[in-house]
Amino acid sequence: MQAPKRFPDRDAVSAVRAESEQLEAGGEGDASRRIAGRVMARREMGKLVFLDLVDASGRIQLICDTSRTGAIDVHLGDVVGAAGRAGKSRRGEPSLFADEVVPLARNRSPLPDTFHGLTDVEQRYRKRYLDLLMNEGTRADFVLRSRIVSAIRSYLDEEGFVEVETPLLQPRYGGAFALPFVTHSSELDTDLYLRIATELYLKRLIVGGLERIYEIGKDFRNESVSYKHQPEFTMLEWYEAYVDYRDTMARIEELVERVTLEVLGTTCVTFKGRELDLRRPWRRLPFVDALSTLGLWTRDGPELRAALEARGVDTAADKDWPQLVDHAFSHFVEPELVEPTIVHDYPVELSPFARLTDDDETLAERFEYFAGGMELGNAFTEINDAEEQQRRFEEQSEHVLGERGDPDYVEALSYGMPPTGGLGLGIDRLTMLLTGRETIRDVILFPTLRPQ
């Protein structure tokens, strides 16, 4: 016989379990309930068959009296539907006393150990469906991730931001220091790049009069893989007219605090064994001060290289001063930024799209924000003058991996862009922080892996 194509009028397991918990041991409710899910355990005692049924909301025991249900042709891992009444076993276990059990889908492969779950880390990433099936904690983490994204959208929508979409395939890549993935359009007979950031397109929309905009979407960078890096990752970027980076600092503090409270009920989280509080206000730390305290601030490239190598840092891959100073910061400063911290006023060489500070033309109005010893995101007071942006592009072209020019973007700026604050937030890293997961692969459903 073919399995049914539908199982309508289904109750959530959690709702039936809640009803069962109100009853006395050995008691049954009056109303008929219908539930469905996967069988994760089977036990037999004479004419009674006990099944553990799991759906997205929870787990419950089915008590099947075969004199009433007939033979139970169900195996471990099968998806079944069951009809019966909520109740409690004589031992007080919330249950459904089944009148009918209907197989809906057969499991044709052996499940991992149902007691320990799927513990092989490699298999958890390669077969995420099994990880979700066997590990309740994994399911909870990805439900939480979805709630984080919903809470971010809710906050920005309430603040008058408009959600937009920009191209994944771009004729020029820009908006960050990164290597792109390259593909080719047969129809257009041209190479295209998977975007490394949404920035330059979003700011075109600010020029066009959309004063508060955001996008949550995928970016792609053809670079390293680590506990906090993946080639494909999810970013939030927003741009807000008539504000600067100080206003943007206040807004990101507010967003993270509100989102954390909404999804966790507290602003306190545990990450890598450390307790931290995401409640605002966060610590402020100038970039130059962070390195000066360590004796590592200098604009002399050979001097900085010597100082790093004296401390055991391999600088062979650092070709110029911007790479050296970035290496110094990421190696010595970033891991120590456990409590939420905003590091601000970066060297202009590292900030091709940020306006200069009022007091020092060698520094730009840029900040990055950190928690748990890792960067969560990046923000600027945006350059809104076409000639200044063109000069910055030209300066960047002299640096290794510097930001390359984009004539169309410069032309857009020539029409006038209001003073603007822009920000990027790594959704994956924020999820790591709020779930306590220490590798980005644990919070991406299908992470990029090496071929088997």
Side-chain angles (χ1 to χ4, degrees), residues 232-286:
E232 177 182 350
F233 57 98
T234 304
M235 288 290 293
L236 159 72
E237 286 199 38
W238 83 55
Y239 292 86
E240 182 174 7
Y242 306 108
V243 306
D244 69 1
Y245 75 146
R246 300 285 178 184
D247 304 303
T248 307
M249 290 180 194
R251 188 177 289 287
I252 189 58
E253 288 177 314
E254 181 181 12
L255 180 143
V256 172
E257 180 184 80
R258 280 185 49 177
V259 168
T260 306
L261 270 173
E262 181 172 334
V263 302
L264 297 182
T266 177
T267 58
C268 296
V269 299
T270 302
F271 186 71
K272 293 188 175 181
R274 303 282 295 272
E275 300 286 337
L276 55 151
D277 192 344
L278 299 176
R279 180 177 50 188
R280 57 187 160 160
W282 297 348
R283 175 191 180 201
R284 303 288 201 272
L285 176 64

Side-chain angles (χ1 to χ4, degrees), residues 336-349:
E336 303 304 316
L337 302 178
V338 176
E339 286 296 327
T341 302
I342 290 174
V343 178
H344 58 91
D345 295 353
Y346 277 63
V348 66
E349 293 89 343

Side-chain angles (χ1 to χ4, degrees), residues 4-17 19-20 30-37 53 55 57 60-62 80-87 95-104:
K5 295 181 178 178
R6 61 195 297 264
F7 193 80
D9 305 321
R10 181 170 63 93
D11 300 298
V13 161
S14 60
V16 176
R17 186 179 179 91
E19 181 182 346
S20 301
D30 298 324
S32 179
R33 303 298 180 199
R34 290 166 60 82
I35 58 177
L53 191 74
D55 75 356
S57 70
I60 198 168
Q61 176 178 258
L62 301 184
V80 304
R85 291 179 299 283
S95 305
L96 181 85
F97 289 92
D99 296 316
E100 180 184 25
V101 177
V102 181
L104 301 175

Side-chain angles (χ1 to χ4, degrees), residues 160-164 201-206 210-215 237-240:
F161 284 77
V162 176
E163 185 172 10
V164 297
Y201 281 88
L202 289 173
K203 287 191 286 191
R204 286 168 167 89
L205 302 181
I206 293 288
L210 298 179
E211 295 177 354
R212 291 184 176 183
I213 53 174
Y214 74 95
E215 181 170 8
E237 286 199 38
W238 83 55
Y239 292 86
E240 182 174 7

Side-chain angles (χ1 to χ4, degrees), residues 118 121-135 138 142 440-447:
L118 183 63
V121 173
E122 184 77 7
Q123 291 303 307
R124 285 181 54 228
Y125 301 143
R126 293 193 183 278
K127 298 182 179 181
R128 183 66 84 185
Y129 52 91
L130 281 182
D131 184 26
L132 292 164
L133 180 62
M134 303 304 302
N135 296 328
T138 299
F142 284 105
I440 195 170
R441 293 181 297 177
D442 280 341
V443 298
I444 295 176
L445 278 169
F446 300 101

Side-chain angles (χ1 to χ4, degrees), residues 167-181:
L168 286 172
L169 291 174
Q170 301 180 349
R172 291 184 180 87
Y173 64 95
F177 295 111
L179 294 175
F181 288 95

